[in-house]
Every structure is written in C-alpha cells, then in structure tokens.
Amino acid sequence: MEIQQLYKRYINDVYRYLLSLCKDESLAEDLTQDTFMKAYTALENRPTKAIKSWLIKIAYHAFIDYTRRNKRVSYEEPAYFSNIPHDNLTEREFERLVLKQDIYQKLDQLKLLQRKAIILCDLQGYS
C-alpha cells in the first residue's frame, strides 16, 4: 500500500486520535501531517498487518515528542494578586498594596505578643 492510499484511508482516524490527546484542532492537524511524514520515511519497515495501529503508534510518539519539546513551566501568581482591587491604580499604588498585604501576612505568622508590639510601635506610632 502506498502513502497516498494510507493517507486517504486512515487520515480521519489518526486526526481524531490526536485531537483526543491534545484537544487543539490546529495542533492535531500539524501532528497528523507529522505522523504521515514519519510513516512515509518508514514505509519500507511497516508491518504487513495492523497498519492502523502502526500509524496510531507513530501518532502517539509524534504527540509525545511535541509535548517534550514544548514543555513549559507554568508560573502561578500568588493568590493575593487576584484579591487586590486594581481597577484604576497606578503602578506605585499597586506595589504599595501588594507590599501591605505581604506585611500583614507575615505579621500573622508571628506570636501574638510580637505582633502586638510591632503593630503598636511601628504601625500605630506608640513608644
């Protein structure tokens, strides 16, 4: 069987399989192309039976290769950024609010006596 016949017969199966893996239509199309390119280069070594499973295996490895190449470290912002009202704030005001929230969080970690001393002395202005 030639690559054109393989392509016509199994393109929908390979595409649907890749779409179920990546959940992105354009990526599934790209990976489907990549799958058939790899199948074309390995056409002499293809099995005589179970061609569909051979193509699905190539598709799976194309998906794995893609995810390894495009691994991204996701950075989550701390939750307190989303709780700060920042509709029309300037950058400086926003930074002050973030710093203030951070200070109060750190104060909450102190023992009660230490926290009271810092609040009375530094924040309230008592001696």
Side-chain angles (χ1 to χ4, degrees), residues 18 25-35:
L18 287 167
E25 291 178 6
S26 62
L27 178 60
E29 290 172 0
D30 292 343
L31 291 174
T32 301
Q33 273 186 335
D34 191 34
T35 298

Side-chain angles (χ1 to χ4, degrees), residues 34-121:
D34 191 34
T35 298
F36 281 99
M37 289 298 292
K38 289 178 181 180
Y40 177 71
T41 59
L43 202 53
E44 294 97 34
N45 300 330
R46 71 168 164 69
T48 54
K49 295 182 181 179
I51 292 175
K52 182 178 176 181
S53 61
W54 175 70
L55 285 171
I56 295 296
K57 186 176 180 180
I58 294 172
Y60 174 75
H61 287 289
F63 173 73
I64 294 298
D65 290 344
Y66 172 81
T67 54
R68 285 183 183 154
R69 275 193 316 264
N70 295 311
K71 238 182 203 178
R72 292 196 170 97
V73 176
S74 64
Y75 171 74
E76 276 189 38
E77 292 182 344
Y80 61 81
F81 279 130
S82 59
N83 296 331
I84 297 174
H86 55 279
D87 296 334
N88 295 322
L89 298 178
T90 64
E91 187 175 350
R92 175 166 273 166
E93 290 171 331
F94 182 74
E95 287 174 355
R96 266 192 253 133
L97 281 173
V98 170
L99 183 62
K100 187 177 178 181
Q101 287 253 325
D102 195 35
I103 288 171
Y104 281 119
Q105 283 180 347
K106 296 212 186 307
L107 278 174
D108 287 339
Q109 295 173 357
L110 294 174
K111 294 180 183 175
L112 182 62
L113 232 75
Q114 293 172 331
R115 184 174 42 224
K116 282 183 180 179
I118 290 175
I119 290 173
L120 288 173
C121 185

Side-chain angles (χ1 to χ4, degrees), residues 1-12 36-37 39-40 43 46 55:
M1 193 178 288
E2 290 186 25
I3 193 69
Q4 291 91 357
Q5 293 170 327
L6 286 176
Y7 184 80
K8 286 178 183 178
R9 188 168 185 181
Y10 296 110
I11 184 162
N12 292 328
F36 281 99
M37 289 298 292
Y40 177 71
L43 202 53
R46 71 168 164 69
L55 285 171

